[in-house]
Amino acid sequence: MKKIAVIGAGLSGLTFASSLNAKAEVTVFEKSRGIGGRMATRYAEHYEFDHGAQYFTAKGEAFQNFLEPYLERGIVENWKPNLITLSKEGAKERVSNHPSYVASPRMNALAKEMAADLNLVGNTHIDKVTGVAGAWQLFDKEGSSHGTFDEVVFAIPSHQAAVLMPESFEYLEQIKHVKMDACFSLMLGFEKPLNVDFDGAFVEGSPIGWISVNSSKPERPQGFSMMVQSQNQWAETHVDEDKDKVQAMLLEEVSGLLNQDLSKADHQVLHRWLYASTSVPAEQNFFHDEKNQLACIGDWCIKGRVEAAFESGHRLAEKMRSLL
Ligand SMILES: Cc1cc2nc3c(=O)[nH]c(=O)nc-3n(C[C@H](O)[C@H](O)[C@H](O)COP(=O)(O)OP(=O)(O)OC[C@H]3O[C@@H](n4cnc5c(N)ncnc54)[C@H](O)[C@@H]3O)c2cc1C
């Protein structure tokens, strides 16, 4: 069987790997302790925060079909949030035309299910890929070798893929043109529930882009937890700023928007995402250099969304299955 290495255990990498698993010998490498990439969850005492993707929609048939068994088993649930648009002028109700899905009981639960039958090597940051088609060698940051593979699939953000990718990759220049933007996620936990009349708020005209009551999602712990996420453009201009300063600025802004002082939140942690969303996508489902047996997938190929990450991994798996 063909040996394929997948670098990255986010939704795109896991979709590809689980779809080809029976047809090839697939190994997934993930640098973090946990899996799921930007479909991430942080725990803190009795609070929990989905500090990456907030919820996702399924507009295409392939993703809807993929989600069906997970919906039946309760691994994915329809959140049904009370959504609003919030600006300095006030709040307006917002209607969504598509179900707002979340993995349950936390956002990384879907990845855990998908990875159950996969050969996954965690805590392993792949730092070098050398060799030739049919004999690619992977090395981690400590210089240890992780074997030889016929083909390598890079399922990581575009900038990281461009740095790690062998120079012979036919589409290297194209992936360098993709632009991904940062985001700050401020996690706030409160001993007493706040008095807010929404579950999710799209914010306009502010450094903040989104506020949600994370604990309003299905199966979450009771501790009142709030997610505050910055606008991507604001994050780009403050990306190197001192974290305490950014946290203070976001706290002041959210307090103003909600007309209450949130600076006394019992739990306050800021996370910086360097590659959160995609402002200039590649506008194609994946890149596959058949001659060199190298490929790239990820949300950034299409759009900075969970469904796009699925679509990218799914489409490459479809093509590779036809070649095996
Ligand atoms: C703050 C934020 C809010 C978001 N909100 C939404 C939303 O509401 N709705 C929505 O649809 N989408 C949202 N998204 C986008 C969504 O999370 C992504 O589209 C999707 O999760 C991307 O999946 P992926 O597989 O392409 O990449 P990733 O999830 O980034 O997966 C890449 C994986 O590769 C690993 N990796 C990287 N380099 C290496 C290496 N060298 N060696 C080994 N492993 C490596 C990473 O640790 C990661 O696990 C949001 C993202 C963020 C950050």
Side-chain angles (χ1 to χ4, degrees):
M1 266 209 268
K2 191 171 187 174
K3 283 178 81 181
I4 303 178
V6 177
I7 305 174
L11 188 66
S12 63
L14 293 175
T15 300
F16 172 83
S18 48
S19 178
L20 267 205
N21 206 20
K23 294 252 179 186
E25 202 180 306
V26 184
T27 307
V28 183
F29 295 93
E30 170 55 50
K31 70 176 177 184
S32 305
R33 199 155 37 93
I35 57 170
R38 282 171 277 157
M39 294 179 77
T41 308
R42 275 273 181 93
Y43 321 87
E45 301 156 44
H46 46 295
Y47 304 118
E48 233 176 63
F49 304 91
D50 299 324
H51 65 304
Q54 295 300 288
Y55 69 87
F56 50 92
T57 50
K59 296 180 183 170
E61 206 181 331
F63 195 40
Q64 285 166 4
N65 291 341
F66 163 81
L67 289 179
E68 216 168 274
Y70 294 106
L71 279 159
E72 272 167 23
R73 292 168 54 208
I75 308 291
V76 172
E77 294 196 58
N78 187 354
W79 178 23
K80 299 185 184 154
N82 169 23
L83 288 177
I84 61 164
T85 303
L86 190 62
S87 67
K88 297 261 158 38
E89 283 77 52
K92 263 195 287 186
E93 198 185 322
R94 185 171 173 132
V95 180
S96 174
N97 297 323
H98 299 275
S100 307
Y101 294 123
V102 293
S104 196
R106 51 192 73 91
M107 203 49 115
N108 59 11
L110 178 60
K112 284 189 180 164
E113 280 295 311
M114 291 173 75
D117 296 328
L118 296 178
N119 180 19
L120 185 101
V121 183
N123 263 323
T124 303
H125 190 150
I126 299 301
D127 195 40
K128 201 161 80 178
V129 178
T130 58
V132 289
W136 292 113
Q137 274 188 286
L138 269 58
F139 296 89
D140 65 24
K141 281 209 142 175
E142 282 71 47
S144 303
S145 168
H146 286 275
T148 305
F149 298 87
D150 298 301
E151 183 129 15
V152 185
V153 176
F154 295 69
I156 59 183
S158 58
H159 178 75
Q160 294 168 333
V163 171
L164 191 57
M165 185 63 88
E167 285 196 355
S168 56
F169 183 58
E170 190 183 343
Y171 305 103
L172 195 54
E173 283 313 308
Q174 290 181 48
I175 66 175
K176 282 183 183 168
H177 284 114
V178 170
K179 180 155 177 6
M180 296 183 75
D181 300 325
C183 180
F184 289 102
S185 290
L186 177 60
M187 295 162 254
L188 300 175
F190 297 87
E191 272 170 7
K192 283 198 200 128
L194 289 186
N195 186 16
V196 287
D197 50 8
F198 63 83
D199 300 318
F202 291 86
V203 185
E204 290 176 351
S206 160
I208 290 171
W210 166 259
I211 307 170
S212 69
V213 179
N214 203 84
S215 40
S216 71
K217 294 179 183 176
E219 308 296 328
R220 266 58 179 177
Q222 284 308 299
F224 188 94
S225 55
M226 178 170 270
M227 255 326 310
V228 179
Q229 292 186 333
S230 70
Q231 291 266 1
N232 297 110
Q233 283 319 307
W234 188 88
E236 281 292 299
T237 54
H238 292 79
V239 74
D240 294 322
E241 204 138 337
D242 176 67
K243 270 179 97 180
D244 290 341
K245 208 170 151 192
V246 170
Q247 181 166 326
M249 285 192 274
L250 292 177
L251 258 177
E252 192 183 333
E253 181 70 18
V254 69
S255 298
L257 284 164
L258 301 183
N259 284 319
Q260 42 194 318
D261 180 13
L262 305 194
S263 65
K264 300 287 181 297
D266 170 43
H267 175 85
Q268 310 181 10
V269 171
L270 185 79
H271 179 83
R272 183 187 68 170
W273 296 96
L274 278 181
Y275 307 111
S277 71
T278 304
S279 50
V280 182
E283 292 185 344
Q284 62 184 74
N285 289 333
F286 55 79
F287 291 93
H288 186 203
D289 178 344
E290 281 183 52
K291 186 167 136 261
N292 280 311
Q293 300 196 54
L294 296 168
C296 254
I297 51 176
D299 62 342
W300 53 268
C301 289
I302 307 167
K303 191 182 183 182
R305 284 280 164 264
V306 166
E307 181 166 13
F310 165 82
E311 195 69 24
S312 181
H314 174 68
R315 295 291 168 211
L316 178 67
E318 235 174 26
K319 179 183 172 193
M320 281 210 191
R321 265 204 310 271
S322 72
L323 295 175
L324 287 173

